[in-house]
């Protein structure tokens, strides 16, 4: 068995094998186009992928996506861990921890400050007990149940415009958040081959992205400069969700904020799914304590599941 770090060029020829491993690991089917969009089309040249190869097949994979974290005016190199896959024939042999450990060492060596991930219940305990990650929070899903007559929907249609503004501004102070350029938004949402996302805005500083998923409307991005704009955008999405026969609207928002209080006033309550949020400090930086959830501003769309 060989262990390799793959570049985008090398990975391209391994995509058929990667898809076969994916089919053994997860119930949903992905095609080569989806894998190519997720890993090759990402708007950064660096591919963070460590694979195990045996008999000309990928039998194990641990990958991450390079991103930029922001805190006030400073930027930091970060990676988000993606789905881990081990061929069932090779499970129980320590391959997961071996690949993850090698990738973490590589990230540290090339100057990454932090790795974070949203692990499932199967991988979380291994990441914590064997690989040095720490759980930051168990993020609940705030959910609103749509009613026949909505009393809080107070939005004028001409206030909200469809599409994204020309310039995307994120007004977040004193919290850690993911930098989202036009290129990132295009890769993450607009070119996504699996889900269709919808885009609305009031101006450059007040915009949102959401999608319909069965009976749910998931608000994956919501960036505002005022609480009034926040209420306007959420109200519009509730109205659109009702038009599309959705039963629920969901969002993430940390406690002890004006936005969380506003959502509670609207009628949002804590529901599932609850997602683990974990991280590992790779190098020293001027970031505030990454293991304190109050230092983060995280959107539902920061988790690649959504």
């Amino acid at each position: 068995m060989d262990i390799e770090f793959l570049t985008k060029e090398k990975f391209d020829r391994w995509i058929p094998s990667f898809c076969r491993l994916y089919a053994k690991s997860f119930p949903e089917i992905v095609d080569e186009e989806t894998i190519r969009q997720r890993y090759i089309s990402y708007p950064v040249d660096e591919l963070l992928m460590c694979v195990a190869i045996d008999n000309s097949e990928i039998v194990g994979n641990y990958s991450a996506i390079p991103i930029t974290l922001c805190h006030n005016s400073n930027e930091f190199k970060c990676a988000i861990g993606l789905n881990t896959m081990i061929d069932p024939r090779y499970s129980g042999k320590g391959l997961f921890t071996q690949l993850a450990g090698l990738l973490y060492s590589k990230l540290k060596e090339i100057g990454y400050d932090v790795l974070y991930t949203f692990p499932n219940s199967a991988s979380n305990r291994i990441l914590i007990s064997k690989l040095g990650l720490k759980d930051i929070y168990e993020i609940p899903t705030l959910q609103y149940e749509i009613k026949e007559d909505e009393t809080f929907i107070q939005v004028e249609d001409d206030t909200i415009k469809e599409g994204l503004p020309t310039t995307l501004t994120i007004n977040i102070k004193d919290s850690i958040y993911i930098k989202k350029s036009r290129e990132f938004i295009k890769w993450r949402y607009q070119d996504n081959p699996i889900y269709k996302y919808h885009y609305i805005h009031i101006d450059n500083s007040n915009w949102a992205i959401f999608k319909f998923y069965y009976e749910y409307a998931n608000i994956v991005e919501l960036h505002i400069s005022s609480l009034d704009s926040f209420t306007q955008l959420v109200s519009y999405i509730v109205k659109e969700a009702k038009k599309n026969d959705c039963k629920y609207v969901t969002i993430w928002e940390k406690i002890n904020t004006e936005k969380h209080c506003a959502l509670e006033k609207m009628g949002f309550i804590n529901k599932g799914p609850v997602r683990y949020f974990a991280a590992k400090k790779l190098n020293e930086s001027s970031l505030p304590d990454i293991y304190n959830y109050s230092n983060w501003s995280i959107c539902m769309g920061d988790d690649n599941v959504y």
Side-chain angles (χ1 to χ4, degrees), residues 19-72:
C19 288
R20 288 191 288 272
L21 177 60
Y22 198 102
K24 295 177 182 179
S25 305
F26 301 105
E28 67 270 20
I29 303 297
V30 295
D31 56 22
E32 293 185 20
E33 177 191 357
T34 300
I35 295 301
R36 191 167 278 106
Q37 186 275 335
R38 186 173 295 173
Y39 293 93
I40 303 292
S41 299
Y42 186 74
V44 175
D45 290 337
E46 208 162 35
L47 178 65
L48 308 174
M49 178 178 287
C50 186
V51 299
I53 300 171
D54 198 20
N55 295 320
S56 300
E57 285 287 338
I58 294 178
V59 297
N61 162 72
Y62 192 97
S63 303
I65 288 289
I67 61 170
T68 300
L69 287 183
C70 298
H71 181 254
N72 294 332

Side-chain angles (χ1 to χ4, degrees), residues 10-183:
K10 284 184 178 179
F11 176 59
D12 194 58
R13 78 177 186 88
W14 284 104
I15 288 178
S17 178
F18 191 91
C19 288
R20 288 191 288 272
L21 177 60
Y22 198 102
K24 295 177 182 179
S25 305
F26 301 105
E28 67 270 20
I29 303 297
V30 295
D31 56 22
E32 293 185 20
E33 177 191 357
T34 300
I35 295 301
R36 191 167 278 106
Q37 186 275 335
R38 186 173 295 173
Y39 293 93
I40 303 292
S41 299
Y42 186 74
V44 175
D45 290 337
E46 208 162 35
L47 178 65
L48 308 174
M49 178 178 287
C50 186
V51 299
I53 300 171
D54 198 20
N55 295 320
S56 300
E57 285 287 338
I58 294 178
V59 297
N61 162 72
Y62 192 97
S63 303
I65 288 289
I67 61 170
T68 300
L69 287 183
C70 298
H71 181 254
N72 294 332
S73 59
N74 300 312
E75 296 185 353
F76 305 87
K77 286 184 74 173
C78 177
I80 173 172
L82 299 181
N83 293 333
T84 303
M85 301 184 296
I86 303 296
D87 188 304
R89 296 172 298 167
Y90 295 78
S91 64
K93 299 181 180 180
L95 192 54
F96 167 56
T97 53
Q98 181 184 4
L99 294 176
L102 288 170
L103 184 61
Y104 296 164
S105 296
K106 181 72 170 179
L107 292 173
K108 180 180 175 67
E109 177 187 323
I110 60 180
Y112 279 78
D113 298 305
V114 175
L115 175 132
Y116 81 85
T117 185
F118 297 92
N120 59 31
S121 57
S123 62
N124 184 69
R125 60 183 176 81
I126 301 174
L127 294 173
I128 303 307
S129 63
K130 296 184 178 181
L131 291 164
L133 279 80
K134 293 183 180 179
D135 280 326
I136 300 171
Y137 206 64
E138 294 170 304
I139 304 177
T141 301
L142 282 164
Q143 178 177 290
Y144 179 80
E145 184 174 357
I146 298 173
K147 304 173 183 63
E148 284 301 318
D149 56 336
E150 294 297 344
T151 57
F152 84 82
I153 297 181
Q154 305 291 331
V155 57
E156 298 178 8
D157 286 343
D158 57 359
T159 303
I160 309 292
K161 309 172 190 68
E162 293 186 355
L164 289 173
T166 305
T167 303
L168 301 175
T169 301
I170 298 179
N171 294 296
I172 296 176
K173 295 180 180 179
D174 302 322
S175 290
I176 306 166
Y177 65 94
I178 296 172
K179 182 179 181 180
K180 286 157 185 171
S181 63
R182 269 275 179 187
E183 292 76 19

Side-chain angles (χ1 to χ4, degrees), residues 191-231:
D191 292 343
N192 191 298
I194 300 175
Y195 300 120
K196 179 182 179 181
Y197 294 89
H198 304 267
Y199 315 89
I200 56 172
H201 70 281
I202 297 173
D203 52 38
N204 292 345
S205 299
N206 299 279
W207 53 278
I209 302 174
F210 62 98
K211 79 174 193 294
F212 301 123
Y213 182 73
Y214 295 102
E215 59 187 4
Y216 294 91
N218 303 135
I219 304 176
V220 294
E221 300 278 348
L222 183 52
H223 301 281
I224 52 98
S225 61
S226 71
L227 198 58
D228 179 64
S229 296
F230 180 79
T231 304

Side-chain angles (χ1 to χ4, degrees), residues 137 140 142 253-258 260-261 264 270 293-294:
Y137 206 64
L142 282 164
E253 178 58 42
K254 66 181 179 182
I255 58 173
N256 299 319
T257 66
E258 286 186 328
H260 194 281
C261 291
E264 288 181 317
N270 283 336
Y293 187 58
S294 65

